[in-house]
């Protein structure tokens, strides 16, 4: 399979670029004319955004400061202003749809001093990025990125809450959302992207960054007034190994040393008039650098039988379960029986810091998997794989391993970000996929390196093992916020489902919050080209009806339709692969009745296999009903979800 992009780029009429009377302001409109960016390059550079006449971003100053004291964005002189219309179709073979439309108007300001800015206005948002055209290397002390709002708006903010080694930039990027006013953000706290701001009914704005390469990721904190202000991790100067982390002991007084000629990450605001629009947004694919891999035919998305979450707790076997060959043969047999593409061998198979010291006969497991047509993926810490990545990738690829789950990155300073791109390229050289854990939001990197088959950066199911307060509320928030940044390895599929009252944290044989149907729905709602089955094979075989449904859901799709939803309350989604549709709905702890409009279906009738909460799901969250009915695109289904409930369906054309 070749990765091809069809690009149509043409210069548009100068009338699309409106100059204010003073000749110092530029206005850029989206193709539909509703989203308007105004750029003011004067003594400073500021930008603002309106949608249908309503303020989204009020004038906000931006700049970049270099180590010699020069400030890009001060005392600005415009040398050239060029406008263009972009209308391209991007083929996306490993995504939630098979193609993405990239349609926007673009303004490029080339400024005196060999640098400039690129602005884009889309129907559903805006973006800008800096570029420099300097010789040699430049050192960036800081970047000023401000997002000012007219009012003290409420926002969904995932705060850094697990500072490690006394370094606030060392974090797992996992946090529930605080839904608070901007004024309530505590001083010096950091929220990682994406964040959502309610700018006034019905408008919402989601702040992201795209095409993050060789540069630190952006956090936000409260700025002056009703403002979110960008914060960037300084470059690490001294590191040390702290258990599984490669942690930072000291940092420099700059954020990046980088090539003098380059483009910088996109600063992005996605705008919605309905919450459901956020659950099906392609901005990261549009803004990402194109694929650097000419052949991606060897990259195989799929589902994975996973060991760590269920603590290797298989039963009714004649061997001791654990990190050993018989246990993994059992996982492989289960995967083969259910047509799952992979198993993962997680933490414990090797020394945490040296992958050449193995505690398991990996070759025996891989060879058995080959017999059953099941691939093997290995876990590694970021530190361990980076000791000698090329040699390690070559060694395990020769053994027949299909990929690596690389964990405990827990940073997004320039060194960490660059490392993940380098690792993806080295892995691709050996036809290996990578699943990044303990990492920041992907920001489009999976388009640039399609062998990055999934990413974490989400407070997923593993957190059930040690307890959380409101996971169902988080589950119906992330499709509108975190998932906008790209795929997320949430690792769904728990079979020991519990009501709010019955739930308790259990490390071994863990429970999940919410109903069985809530878990099944995740396979249709959460974007994950490499999707885990987190529970153990024994219980999946005991719950074969649920397992059959999970196993049949693809992990990439040809079409996605966000049906309905409200951030933090509920979500419903449908996805198509070939002629078959898969749909899911989830609610928070509030029981809910919603309608599912089946107009997304094509012509003819469909066999619908439906899982919904049972009548006693409020007492026993494992209770569900499976129905098989015939439907058409003209039908509307009324579904009732219990507290923490859900609904999942497969529609097969008859």
């Amino acid at each position: 399979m070749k990765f091809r992009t069809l690009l149509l780029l043409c210069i548009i009429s100068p009338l699309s670029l409106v100059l204010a009377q003073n000749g110092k302001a530029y206005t850029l409109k989206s193709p539909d004319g509703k989203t308007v960016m105004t750029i003011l390059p004067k003594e400073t550079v500021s930008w603002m955004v309106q949608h249908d006449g309503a303020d989204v971003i009020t004038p906000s100053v931006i700049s970049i400061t270099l180590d010699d004291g020069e400030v890009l964005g001060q005392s600005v002189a415009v040398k050239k202003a060029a406008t263009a219309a972009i209308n391209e179709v991007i083929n996306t073979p490993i995504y939630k749809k098979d193609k993405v439309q990239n349609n926007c108007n673009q303004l490029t300001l080339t400024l005196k001093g060999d640098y400039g800015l690129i602005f884009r206005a889309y129907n559903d948002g805006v973006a800008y990025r800096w570029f420099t055209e300097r010789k040699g290397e430049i050192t960036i002390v800081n970047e000023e990125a401000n997002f000012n709002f007219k009012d003290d708006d409420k926002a969904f903010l995932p705060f850094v809450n697990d500072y490690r080694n006394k370094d606030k930039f060392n974090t797992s990027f996992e946090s529930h959302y605080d839904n608070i006013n901007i004024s309530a953000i505590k001083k010096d706290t950091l929220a990682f992207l994406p964040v959502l701001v309610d700018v006034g009914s019905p408008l919402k704005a989601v702040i992201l960054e795209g095409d993050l390469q060789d540069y630190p990721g952006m956090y936000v904190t409260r700025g002056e007034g009703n403002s979110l202000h960008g914060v960037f991790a300084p470059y690490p100067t001294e590191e040390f190994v702290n258990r599984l982390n490669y942690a930072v002991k000291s940092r420099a007084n700059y954020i990046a040393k980088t090539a003098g000629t380059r483009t910088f990450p996109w600063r992005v605001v996605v705008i919605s008039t309905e919450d459901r629009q956020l659950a099906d947004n392609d901005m990261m694919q549009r803004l990402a650098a194109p694929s650097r891999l000419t052949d991606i035919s060897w990259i195989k998305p799929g589902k994975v039988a996973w060991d760590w979450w269920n603590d290797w707790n298989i039963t009714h076997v004649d061997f001791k379960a654990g990190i050993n060959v018989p246990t993994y043969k059992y996982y492989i047999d289960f995967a083969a029986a259910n047509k799952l593409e992979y198993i993962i061998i997680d933490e414990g198979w090797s020394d945490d810091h040296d992958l050449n010291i193995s505690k398991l006969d990996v070759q025996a497991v891989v060879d058995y998997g080959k017999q059953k047509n099941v691939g093997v993926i290995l876990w590694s810490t970021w530190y361990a794989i980076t000791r000698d990545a090329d040699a390690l990738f070559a060694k395990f690829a020769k053994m027949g391993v299909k990929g690596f789950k690389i964990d405990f990155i827990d940073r997004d300073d320039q060194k960490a970000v660059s490392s993940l791109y380098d690792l993806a390229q080295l892995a691709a050289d050996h036809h290996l996929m990578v699943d990044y854990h303990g990492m920041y939001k992907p920001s489009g990197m999976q388009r640039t390196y399609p062998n990055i088959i999934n990413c974490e950066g989400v407070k997923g199911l593993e957190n059930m093992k040690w307890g959380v307060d409101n996971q169902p509320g988080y589950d119906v928030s992330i499709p509108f916020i975190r998932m906008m940044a790209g795929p997320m390895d949430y690792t769904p599929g728990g079979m020991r489902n519990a009501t709010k009252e019955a739930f308790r944290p259990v490390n071994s044989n863990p429970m999940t919050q919410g109903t069985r149907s809530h878990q099944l729905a995740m396979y249709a709602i959460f974007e994950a080209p490499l999707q885990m089955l987190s529970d153990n094979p024994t219980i999946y075989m005991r719950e074969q009806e649920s397992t059959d449904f999970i196993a049949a859901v693809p992990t990439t799709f040809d079409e996605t339709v966000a049906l309905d939803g409200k951030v933090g309350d509920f979500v419903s989604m449908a996805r198509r692969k070939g002629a078959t549709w898969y749909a899911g709905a989830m609610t928070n702890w509030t029981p809910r009745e919603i309608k599912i409009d089946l107009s997304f279906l094509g012509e003819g009738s469909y066999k619908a296999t439906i899982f919904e909460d049972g009548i006693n799901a409020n007492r026993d969250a494992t209770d569900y009903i499976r129905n098989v009915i015939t439907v058409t695109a003209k039908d509307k289904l009324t579904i009732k979800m219990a507290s923490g409930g859900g609904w999942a369906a497969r529609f097969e054309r008859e």
Side-chain angles (χ1 to χ4, degrees):
M1 188 188 307
K2 299 292 184 183
F3 191 93
R4 295 189 177 96
T5 299
L6 175 64
L7 175 64
L8 174 62
L9 180 63
C10 59
I11 299 300
I12 64 175
S13 165
L15 295 177
S16 298
L17 177 64
V18 181
L19 291 141
Q21 287 183 352
N22 59 12
K24 294 290 182 70
Y26 298 83
T27 301
L28 185 68
K29 293 184 178 181
S30 59
D32 66 4
K34 292 183 179 181
T35 302
V36 181
M37 295 185 81
T38 302
I39 301 98
L40 302 162
K42 301 180 181 180
E43 287 303 308
T44 60
V45 175
S46 64
W47 65 297
M48 59 183 290
V49 182
Q50 291 184 318
H51 183 85
D52 258 353
D55 289 327
V56 178
I57 302 293
T58 58
S60 303
V61 174
I62 55 176
S63 68
I64 288 179
T65 301
L66 305 183
D67 63 337
D68 61 0
E70 181 184 3
V71 179
L72 309 184
Q74 281 190 0
S75 301
V76 172
V78 177
K79 291 174 61 179
K80 181 181 179 183
T83 59
I86 297 173
N87 194 3
E88 62 177 346
V89 175
I90 305 169
N91 290 330
T92 50
I94 306 176
Y95 190 49
K96 62 187 179 185
K97 55 190 69 171
D98 59 6
K99 57 180 62 68
V100 166
Q101 190 77 29
N102 185 22
N103 184 17
C104 67
N105 289 328
Q106 178 172 289
L107 164 66
T108 301
L109 294 181
T110 302
L111 307 177
K112 184 178 180 181
D114 299 323
Y115 73 98
L117 284 152
I118 303 170
F119 298 89
R120 286 187 179 180
Y122 290 88
N123 293 344
D124 58 354
V126 298
Y128 77 85
R129 77 189 314 177
W130 294 90
F131 66 88
T132 53
E133 297 174 327
R134 306 286 180 92
K135 293 181 179 179
E137 188 178 68
I138 57 175
T139 299
I140 298 173
V141 173
N142 198 19
E143 177 182 342
E144 183 181 17
N146 291 303
F147 303 85
N148 297 338
F149 300 93
K150 181 179 178 181
D151 300 312
D152 184 16
D153 296 319
K154 264 200 163 184
F156 283 79
L157 298 152
F159 286 105
V160 173
N161 56 16
D162 63 343
Y163 295 172
R164 302 179 183 194
N165 315 302
K166 299 180 180 179
D167 176 14
K168 66 181 180 180
F169 297 108
N170 195 173
T171 177
S172 63
F173 303 94
E174 299 173 80
S175 180
H176 280 176
Y177 296 104
D178 285 17
N179 186 15
I180 59 175
N181 290 88
I182 293 172
S183 62
I185 299 173
K186 295 179 181 178
K187 185 180 179 181
D188 296 328
T189 55
L190 298 178
F192 51 87
L193 301 184
V195 302
L196 182 150
V197 182
D198 186 341
V199 295
S201 182
L203 293 179
K204 290 187 173 66
V206 177
I207 300 172
L208 304 104
E209 61 181 341
D211 200 22
L212 174 63
Q213 298 189 56
D214 192 33
Y215 201 78
M218 183 172 71
Y219 303 81
V220 292
T221 191
R222 184 185 176 191
E224 296 295 325
N226 304 318
S227 173
L228 293 176
H229 175 72
V231 178
F232 303 85
Y235 192 86
T237 54
E238 188 176 358
E239 297 160 291
F240 68 102
V241 178
N242 182 41
R243 295 183 66 248
L244 300 179
N245 276 116
Y246 192 32
V248 177
K249 190 172 183 179
S250 61
R251 294 185 179 273
N253 60 356
Y254 58 87
I255 64 171
K257 282 184 181 290
T258 189
T261 298
R262 62 163 294 178
T263 55
F264 291 83
W266 290 102
R267 308 291 169 224
V268 186
V269 178
V270 171
I271 303 165
S272 71
T273 55
E274 297 178 70
D275 288 7
R276 67 183 178 90
Q277 295 165 349
L278 300 174
D280 181 23
N281 185 274
D282 302 312
M283 192 68 82
M284 290 299 98
Q285 288 285 321
R286 300 170 189 155
L287 296 176
S291 175
R292 291 178 182 154
L293 308 182
T294 55
D295 175 20
I296 62 170
S297 61
W298 55 272
I299 301 172
K300 304 295 184 184
K303 288 187 288 295
V304 187
W306 185 32
D307 54 1
W308 179 88
W309 190 79
N310 57 77
D311 202 23
W312 298 266
N313 271 316
I314 57 175
T315 57
H316 302 88
V317 295
D318 59 0
F319 56 86
K320 188 174 182 179
I323 303 171
N324 55 51
V325 172
T327 296
Y328 287 113
K329 284 186 175 181
Y330 184 91
Y331 277 79
I332 288 169
D333 287 341
F334 163 72
N338 291 278
K339 298 181 180 179
L340 310 180
E341 289 81 359
Y342 304 99
I343 71 160
I344 192 165
I345 302 176
D346 212 284
E347 179 184 9
W349 70 271
S350 71
D351 181 89
D352 288 336
H353 304 137
D354 188 347
L355 300 186
N356 288 308
I357 302 175
S358 181
K359 304 173 185 177
L360 174 73
D361 188 345
V362 174
Q363 188 68 69
V365 177
V366 171
D367 290 345
Y368 187 74
K370 286 180 181 177
Q371 297 174 30
K372 300 282 186 170
N373 199 29
V374 176
V376 173
I377 296 169
L378 294 178
W379 177 92
S380 170
T381 62
W382 177 47
Y383 175 82
I385 201 70
T386 53
R387 296 312 87 207
D388 192 359
D390 195 32
L392 289 167
F393 284 151
K395 172 184 175 178
F396 289 104
K398 185 177 181 180
M399 290 172 61
V401 169
K402 299 300 182 182
F404 273 87
K405 175 182 175 180
I406 301 174
D407 205 349
F408 288 93
I409 301 153
D410 295 337
R411 288 161 42 189
D412 67 347
D413 50 48
Q414 185 192 18
K415 182 174 181 179
V417 170
S418 297
S419 173
L420 298 198
Y421 278 84
D422 292 344
L423 286 172
Q425 180 63 65
L426 285 172
D429 292 343
H430 298 285
H431 283 194
L432 290 171
M433 299 181 295
V434 288
D435 176 11
Y436 285 136
H437 265 243
M439 77 158 283
Y440 54 89
K441 73 283 176 194
S443 300
M445 69 193 312
Q446 74 280 7
R447 181 189 170 200
T448 308
Y449 282 104
N451 63 317
I452 300 175
I453 202 70
N454 212 348
C455 306
E456 196 183 21
V458 65
K459 196 173 182 69
L461 206 73
E462 68 179 23
N463 290 273
M464 303 284 194
K465 291 165 74 76
W466 41 85
V468 288
D469 292 331
N470 181 20
Q471 195 70 10
Y474 181 71
D475 295 340
V476 295
S477 299
I478 49 179
F480 308 97
I481 308 174
R482 163 57 184 87
M483 203 162 71
M484 292 185 64
M488 52 188 192
D489 202 0
Y490 181 99
T491 68
M495 294 288 107
R496 284 169 296 277
N497 318 112
T499 63
K500 187 175 184 179
E501 295 75 21
F503 175 80
R504 68 183 188 278
V506 181
N507 185 62
S508 189
N509 286 318
M511 298 180 177
T512 72
Q513 290 185 353
T515 68
R516 172 67 55 79
S517 296
H518 187 94
Q519 287 292 311
L520 299 186
M522 292 178 178
Y523 288 87
I525 294 173
F526 291 165
E527 183 186 346
L530 188 73
Q531 182 64 283
M532 303 285 175
L533 277 71
S534 64
D535 225 319
N536 71 65
T538 304
I539 194 170
Y540 280 128
M541 288 186 282
R542 194 161 65 235
E543 300 284 351
Q544 192 63 47
E545 197 169 59
S546 296
T547 305
D548 287 344
F549 179 83
I550 292 170
V553 182
T555 63
T556 60
F557 298 87
D558 300 323
E559 185 179 356
T560 287
V561 178
L563 300 174
D564 201 0
K566 182 180 179 182
V567 180
D569 287 354
F570 75 100
V571 62
S572 58
M573 184 93 68
R575 303 188 193 273
R576 179 181 61 82
K577 187 76 168 184
T580 302
W581 284 88
Y582 305 83
M586 298 186 297
T587 183
N588 56 13
W589 284 127
T590 301
R592 197 176 307 274
E593 181 178 301
I594 66 172
K595 287 191 180 295
I596 299 290
D597 186 335
L598 300 183
S599 58
F600 58 83
L601 297 175
E603 294 290 328
S605 60
Y606 286 77
K607 172 188 172 184
T609 303
I610 298 172
F611 287 74
E612 53 192 326
D613 295 329
I615 195 169
N616 293 305
N618 283 314
R619 298 167 62 91
D620 180 350
T622 66
D623 186 32
Y624 70 88
I625 299 171
R626 177 183 177 273
N627 287 318
V628 179
I629 61 175
T630 298
V631 298
T632 71
K634 296 179 181 179
D635 291 321
K636 293 180 175 63
L637 302 180
T638 299
I639 65 173
K640 295 181 179 180
M641 294 183 283
S643 174
W647 175 91
R650 180 175 67 251
F651 301 92
E652 299 165 281
R653 183 176 291 167
E654 292 184 328

